[in-house]
Amino acid sequence: MGHPTHLLTLTGAEFPGAGFLFAFSQHMQTALGESATRTGLTFAPLALGVAGGSLTWQKVPARLHRPMIAAACLVAALGYGGIGFVMRSGGDGGAGLLGLQLVVGIGMGFITSPLLTVALAQVKPADAADASGVMTTGAQVAQVLGVATYGSVYLSAADGAGAARRRTPFSSPR
């Protein structure tokens, strides 16, 4: 299956991505009091960025695919850092949040599909199904661990700060 660093890069991108989606949606609903609809719509720029990146990365010359993946990891990381910066005051992040969600999405769109292509391009056709399964399973395990880790940290911190004490669809009646 190509080089083991491909799997590490994919899991390294999926872990924070899934964890962020879970923890940030919880933050928007429990700490900021946003509706599920508004929370979901806040992620629309991220989805558009992923779609745009996923659909256009093949226009980049093949010799640049590996550096493009590394640059996309940096773009996504900068986007996540920017989101942390605009959200630090406890507000809703405004237009800056939406723009940074787009940045993260573009980064993620230029990571996942090209990384799978680069990783699986050197695999013998007889081994392609197994290699693809390993990559997909690795990504899914990273997503589960990301949600569990980020969720545990966020929910523990939110409970200590009183943010999770608000009534949510999952809270028990008092």
Side-chain angles (χ1 to χ4, degrees):
M1 176 192 71
H3 199 274
T5 57
H6 296 140
L7 181 59
L8 291 174
T9 304
L10 182 62
T11 57
E14 297 295 333
F15 179 87
F20 167 78
L21 290 174
F22 176 77
F24 195 67
S25 64
Q26 292 296 307
H27 174 70
M28 289 192 68
Q29 292 178 63
T30 60
L32 301 180
E34 299 292 351
S35 69
T37 301
R38 178 162 161 85
T39 298
L41 289 173
T42 299
F43 290 104
L46 190 144
L48 291 173
V50 169
S54 296
L55 295 172
T56 60
W57 71 269
Q58 293 176 337
K59 295 179 193 256
V60 174
R63 73 184 192 298
L64 298 176
H65 285 175
R66 289 175 191 268
M68 173 191 70
I69 294 166
C73 288
L74 180 61
V75 166
L78 290 172
Y80 286 129
I83 289 170
F85 183 77
V86 300
M87 296 301 295
R88 76 190 183 288
S89 68
D92 66 5
L97 173 64
L98 300 178
L100 289 163
Q101 291 272 27
L102 181 64
V103 169
V104 170
I106 290 169
M108 294 304 293
F110 278 91
I111 295 170
T112 308
S113 295
L115 183 57
L116 288 169
T117 300
V118 167
L120 298 174
Q122 301 166 351
V123 174
K124 295 180 222 164
D127 298 328
D130 292 338
S132 177
V134 168
M135 294 294 288
T136 301
T137 301
Q140 291 173 340
V141 168
Q143 291 168 350
V144 168
L145 292 174
V147 168
T149 303
Y150 280 57
S152 295
V153 170
Y154 172 76
L155 293 172
S156 294
D159 188 44
R165 295 187 211 289
R166 293 183 185 197
R167 186 154 174 75
T168 68
F170 302 107
S171 60
S172 59
R174 294 179 196 229

